[in-house]
Amino acid sequence: MKRTAIIGNAPEFDGTDLDLDGYDRVVRFNNTAGLGSTSGTKTSELVLVSRGGQPAEWLADPAFTQRKAVRDAERVTLVFPPSEKPEDECHAEGLRERLGPLGKDIGSIDAATESRARASLLAHGALSTSALSSGFLYSFRTLEAEDSRSSSFDIFGFGFDGWDGHAWSAERSWFEAAHKAGWLVLHPLAKR
């Protein structure tokens, strides 16, 4: 069975006593908090938000493609597909242009999957205006697409409250329900 570690960006996550690099696949997000210090050194897949200010900053950074996670990842998944709508502030094409010469397998999460993920999160108490976090949307898509009999998913570094545009309590509820259903193993953050 292929073992996948999906590592979120909780600033308080400390996995130094865990063998995170021993997983078959390690998935990280955006600025990869803890990479090289508290959450291992391996990145098999890098998931990047492709709308808003964060990807604009990456595109403006000449050293972006030299980051360890960008260099090491075999696959890059953009959270959103390309969009022509000005209000989306989409940078998917710019990221594809910047990452393409590196020879990475580059994909994106399609709008239909985003819609199903949003409906699932609404059932856990999210508002219809809440933005979906990269970690939630990727995890939803992965669990929907992959056979849990051939893969196991361990979730680390999730559960903190980040940007206030996300529905963090609804996302925590979704992850807890997925854990109870046996779809993934949620490793909760240590209580403070």
Side-chain angles (χ1 to χ4, degrees):
M1 179 176 284
K2 181 170 66 175
R3 297 172 57 232
T4 299
I6 299 176
I7 303 175
N9 289 324
E12 65 268 34
F13 173 63
D14 185 353
T16 52
D17 293 336
L18 305 170
D19 182 20
L20 298 173
D21 291 344
Y23 280 77
D24 298 305
R25 189 170 70 159
V26 177
V27 179
R28 297 181 186 274
F29 299 88
N30 299 319
N31 288 319
T32 64
L35 176 62
S37 60
T38 59
S39 67
T41 62
K42 183 176 179 179
T43 304
S44 309
E45 183 172 2
L46 179 60
V47 180
L48 299 174
V49 66
S50 49
R51 293 182 184 162
Q54 183 64 75
E57 289 178 24
W58 295 329
L59 290 171
D61 179 1
F64 172 65
T65 58
Q66 298 307 308
R67 293 180 181 189
K68 179 174 175 30
V70 174
R71 287 192 330 265
D72 292 354
E74 298 163 11
R75 177 169 179 76
V76 175
T77 296
L78 303 179
V79 176
F80 302 106
S83 170
E84 299 289 327
K85 298 177 187 172
E87 65 270 19
D88 284 344
E89 296 180 65
C90 186
H91 299 282
E93 289 304 324
L95 288 168
R96 283 180 180 278
E97 288 174 17
R98 189 80 181 276
L99 297 167
L102 302 177
K104 308 291 181 190
D105 177 16
I106 303 171
S108 61
I109 298 175
D110 62 79
T113 300
E114 179 188 356
S115 181
R116 290 190 304 276
R118 182 172 301 285
S120 181
L121 203 57
L122 287 171
H124 287 273
L127 300 174
S128 61
T129 55
S130 297
L132 306 179
S133 76
S134 302
F136 165 72
L137 187 51
Y138 175 84
S139 298
F140 177 90
R141 192 280 312 265
T142 300
L143 292 176
E144 186 179 68
E146 295 195 29
D147 185 350
S148 62
R149 292 170 296 190
S150 62
S151 298
S152 67
F153 303 95
D154 286 76
I155 309 295
F156 301 94
F158 282 76
F160 72 108
D161 287 350
W163 178 60
D164 62 6
H166 294 304
W168 297 114
S169 62
E171 290 192 7
R172 279 191 293 275
S173 175
W174 182 88
F175 276 103
E176 289 164 0
H179 174 84
K180 287 178 187 169
W183 301 337
L184 54 80
V185 176
L186 179 62
H187 299 268
L189 294 171
K191 302 281 186 212
R192 290 193 242 178

